[in-house]
Amino acid sequence: MPDNGSGQDKNESAEKTIDNVESAVESEPSSIPAGSSPEEIESGGIEGKALPEEPIEKDNSAMADSEGFIHGKIIPNKGFEEALLKLPGVQLSHAMEIINGIREYVDLSQIKAGEDFKVRLSKEGKVEEFVFYPDIITFHILKRDPADGKLKYSSKIMPTEKRYRIIEDEVITTLNQALIDREDVTRNIRAVTNGILECIVSFNTDARKGDKFRILVEDRFYNGQLVTGSKIIYASYEGKRAGFHEAFRFEDADPKSAFNAHYTKEGKALIPSAMRLPVDRVHVTSPFGMRRHPVTGARAFHNGVDYGGPVGSPVYSVAPGKVVEVKTTAYGGKQITIRHQDNSETYYLHLHGFLVKSGSKVGPRQRIATMGASGRVTGPHLHFGIKSPKGEWLNPLKKRMIATPQLGGEKFNVFKGQMKDITALLNDTAKYQEWLRKYDEGPQPEGFYEEYGL
Ligand SMILES: [Zn+2]
């Protein structure tokens, strides 16, 4: 099982997948002094390295419901640990058992403030059941198994109905302002749309008054209620100077695939920046920031991101550079350091096998190693860190990343099929919305229903 921890900056994340990355801003340097080596911080529990405990105030207004559950919510800028410890009766050992039980299944970098959970303790003071329900359709459940006394994970996802809508408008000043002015555009839709379109349109020089944009949004409903996390599956921009540009959403078979993103018709990824992901599957078992170390239990600063995955899965360099260190240490295990052109460095720890040597030049998204469980860990994962040219640790999830520059081979074939489906959806939705508009306008002319195939 991967290691334990919780961190900050979670409530700022948007949707799962690459969407949140598209809207991300540049990393802010951490408060940890420059020059500390990754394994020192990774270990957390070395004498003198552990940081002081912050006292957590109990929320004594939380009462057990008829089934014995006490309800809690994720707190802004805090992880599960803090939110759990606020509840009466919940102790650190309970919180750690719960976090260790769900980290393999819940991406810990994606939890957001306000999301709900509930926990039921037994008379003996053990966690009997824990349920995390980040939205109205998703339930992550941990239940004590009487057979072996361990918490067992299961999940439940309610079936949803998908509905589509087109948002289209004219730009008066900027695209961003046009999006802000609309009530049907959420902050996330705005951020993703800006992120996609700024990759293909130079807004600074080419945007003109009267330019048009069009977005196809996929909403999911459960029992008539909108589920959070609407997706943009298509966006286009038509400008007097900019010309016509389209972006399509690609969905890989695995919902956690690093390829899930928006692309041009030609399969070019529309993710701003030169950063790329070091893994194929994006599942964060421990985010950047304060956390409790899985092995030592001490609170310490986690100076990178842990991606969970099986031993042997590929690890990629995120940008071109030179391998400056290949070594094995007690804490970081097998590890690689790459220095990039701007003198920033990336760190890859707990590896299984090395595929490069010290001094090797590497390209973007070149396989450099395989994922492992070497060093001081509780399970296989990649610890990935980024150090700024000044030597400060950056939050890799706040860097704008890119999954892949181009869809090729079988993925491109699948994408072509998906583009066809999206185009059909776009046309159907446009027709339906036109019908609705005309219907609302009043008396229908002869042949109105027939015209729309009704
Ligand atoms: Zn780590």
Side-chain angles (χ1 to χ4, degrees), residues 162-176:
K162 286 176 182 170
R163 290 184 211 161
Y164 298 89
R165 61 190 160 104
I166 293 171
I167 298 167
E168 50 191 340
D169 215 330
E170 255 180 44
V171 173
I172 312 284
T173 52
T174 61
L175 171 68
N176 191 47

Side-chain angles (χ1 to χ4, degrees), residues 42 302 306 383:
E42 176 73 354
H302 188 224
D306 292 348
H383 170 97

